[in-house]
Amino acid sequence: MHIDPEAAGFDSKHLATTTQHLHKNYIESQKIAGCQVLIARHGHIAYHQTMGLMDLERNKPMREDAIFRIYSMTKPITSIALMQLYEQGLFQLNDPLYRVIPSWRDQQVYVSGTTTDMQTKAPEQPVTFRHILSHTAGLSYGATNHPVDKLYRQNDVVRGDGETLNTFANKLAQVPLHFEPGSQWLYSYATDVCGYLVEVLSGMTLDAYFEKYIFEPLGMNDTAFHVSADKVDRFCANYERTREKTLKCIDDPQASTYADKPSFLSGGGGLTGTTADYFKFCEMLRCKGTVNGERIIGSRTLAMMHRNHLPNNTDLANLAVGAFSETAYEGVGFGLGFATSLSEVATGALGAGDYYWGGAASTIFWVDPVEDLVAIFMTQLMPSATFNFRGQIKNIIYAAIN
């Protein structure tokens, strides 16, 4: 891998402070076990560092080809897959989802009450493809004490072993929406529903579809819903930050459930992969949908996907409900599978116009069309809100641009 910060338009000395920052503030103090960072601009890799350990218990150095749980960084891949089918004329963004999932035709919206005396009503408009792609459908993750979330748990609406995308989507039809579709934003199981829509519209399982139309064309050979036996040695351990501010292993790679192919192919958070593979996906995005002769998505479709689709071009600070997400809310919009920075003043960060997302184990990526830049950060620390890696690394990267 050829690294040339100057060809990418960076001051190499300042960019190198990324390493110093992460080592001093995170690796040496064992706030994280290890990490990888890749930064590229104009198609030139400017920075690529592998730091720390991938497995503290076994004292294994982080490998350049390490495999990470990318969790919600699966969502942009699923969104691209669904929009490939949009490009085939199989749906319009404002089409109701019940056209593809009939059980959603009689969906209800929560009005008031508890699980035992809940008042609901028919929605003013049905859930559409646009709503499900932009987390404005009224779904949630069922994790709070809200009466609707309690119904999620009572109805066993979880991405568990033995569940399938079909059974999951139809269970969701039995639970009221949190709000009128399109009226608010709530991070949710919506992208898992997108995965089911890919299956129904394509006639293929989600993993087979990903392989044929995204992974194989881009050469993403290490990205999958499970880690095969011959790759387990490359699989990182996953850690949780305890109340005592220490690291606790919560998923041993040698005994992980990721060793087996799951019954539930989570388009919202099920993939594992390498930094190199995700860079191939990001380069496709940077190159407006086509890279190395492989057209994955049309340039106009992709441009529409990372525009802000929130009503009246507002930001998440004005529309989001619930505290759990993979982004800050001020000055941030949301499109079809991506968050996007609307204003440097409002976000307090450089890079207006970038689009991005992260994962539960603190993985992050962004693509900046203005600066023609890609950045990827991989580690394995839960929860993702523990440290603001994106904000800190962003400060260093943008300051290093000549």
Side-chain angles (χ1 to χ4, degrees):
M1 184 177 290
H2 181 65
I3 300 172
D4 191 344
E6 305 300 337
F10 285 98
D11 178 279
S12 56
K13 185 176 180 180
H14 188 93
L15 195 59
T17 62
T18 306
T19 307
Q20 300 165 25
H21 173 74
L22 291 169
H23 263 290
K24 179 181 177 181
N25 295 295
Y26 295 102
I27 304 291
E28 293 171 10
S29 59
Q30 250 184 39
K31 290 180 179 176
I32 59 174
C35 65
Q36 282 187 344
V37 185
L38 191 154
I39 302 160
R41 190 164 176 247
H42 307 320
H44 300 285
I45 296 175
Y47 178 95
H48 186 216
Q49 286 292 321
T50 300
M51 311 174 208
L53 302 176
M54 62 185 290
D55 188 327
L56 289 172
E57 288 68 31
R58 296 176 179 87
N59 198 36
K60 290 177 61 175
M62 181 65 73
R63 293 176 52 149
E64 189 168 310
D65 60 354
I67 295 174
F68 299 86
R69 300 156 194 78
I70 67 170
Y71 288 116
S72 287
M73 278 169 52
T74 305
K75 287 180 170 71
I77 295 173
T78 304
S79 300
I80 289 289
L82 184 54
M83 291 303 287
Q84 287 179 327
L85 299 169
Y86 166 88
E87 291 191 323
Q88 294 178 29
L90 297 182
F91 67 91
Q92 302 298 309
L93 286 179
N94 294 330
D95 283 351
L97 245 60
Y98 65 66
R99 186 172 69 79
V100 179
I101 313 176
S103 62
W104 282 46
R105 181 179 290 273
D106 299 319
Q107 187 67 275
Q108 294 288 296
V109 177
Y110 172 81
V111 176
S112 64
T114 67
T115 55
T116 56
D117 63 352
M118 186 176 293
Q119 301 296 309
T120 64
K121 66 173 186 175
E124 294 175 6
Q125 62 172 319
V127 173
T128 66
F129 282 82
R130 186 195 305 275
H131 296 146
I132 209 73
L133 280 157
S134 62
H135 292 281
T136 59
L139 305 183
S140 77
Y141 270 121
T144 74
N145 287 321
H146 190 283
V148 172
D149 282 355
K150 289 181 179 179
L151 281 182
Y152 273 69
R153 299 192 289 274
Q154 287 181 21
N155 286 274
D156 199 30
V157 183
V158 292
R159 299 179 289 191
D161 187 41
E163 197 76 73
T164 66
L165 287 171
N166 177 277
T167 59
F168 183 79
N170 285 292
K171 279 183 180 180
L172 278 171
Q174 307 306 313
V175 181
L177 303 172
H178 274 260
F179 46 76
E180 287 287 347
S183 67
Q184 293 180 290
W185 187 92
L186 179 59
Y187 197 40
S188 69
Y189 286 129
T191 318
D192 288 301
V193 178
C194 289
Y196 179 56
L197 294 170
V198 170
E199 290 199 338
V200 176
L201 292 170
S202 70
M204 301 171 66
T205 60
L206 189 60
D207 55 348
Y209 186 93
F210 280 175
E211 186 64 32
K212 183 173 182 178
Y213 293 106
I214 298 177
F215 298 159
E216 187 176 324
L218 291 177
M220 296 172 66
N221 300 320
D222 287 322
T223 304
F225 284 105
H226 73 292
V227 179
S228 58
D230 61 322
K231 296 180 180 181
V232 168
D233 193 51
R234 297 162 50 196
F235 194 29
C236 293
N238 196 13
Y239 295 93
E240 177 182 70
R241 184 168 168 85
T242 68
R243 292 182 179 179
E244 292 74 32
K245 299 183 179 180
T246 59
L247 293 179
K248 174 186 176 183
C249 183
I250 56 173
D251 190 32
D252 183 336
Q254 298 299 325
S256 176
T257 56
Y258 281 94
D260 300 315
K261 182 178 177 179
S263 65
F264 187 88
L265 302 174
S266 175
L271 289 175
T272 61
T274 61
T275 301
D277 270 12
Y278 213 85
F279 177 56
K280 292 172 183 176
F281 179 72
C282 288
E283 273 293 278
M284 177 274 296
L285 298 177
R286 183 189 68 83
C287 294
K288 301 181 180 180
T290 301
V291 64
N292 298 327
E294 293 289 348
R295 182 189 181 279
I296 303 301
I297 195 82
S299 60
R300 290 169 178 79
T301 304
L302 180 59
M304 178 175 66
M305 289 181 71
H306 61 79
R307 291 194 185 105
N308 184 23
H309 282 248
L310 300 181
N312 302 315
N313 200 36
T314 191
D315 67 1
L316 290 173
N318 288 299
L319 209 68
V321 294
F324 170 66
S325 180
E326 296 294 343
T327 181
Y329 291 163
E330 291 76 15
V332 175
F334 202 87
L336 307 179
F338 305 95
T340 181
S341 299
L342 303 176
S343 162
E344 293 181 341
V345 173
T347 61
L350 298 169
D354 71 351
Y355 57 102
Y356 63 93
W357 204 239
S362 301
T363 60
I364 54 174
F365 84 96
W366 72 90
V367 177
D368 185 335
V370 177
E371 293 292 346
D372 199 30
L373 178 148
V374 166
I376 302 167
F377 175 82
M378 295 287 205
T379 190
Q380 300 283 255
L381 175 71
M382 300 182 78
S384 58
T386 306
F387 304 112
N388 184 13
F389 291 113
R390 173 174 148 84
Q392 295 167 22
I393 296 170
K394 247 193 153 185
N395 289 357
I396 298 171
I397 293 173
Y398 284 77
I401 296 174
N402 288 325

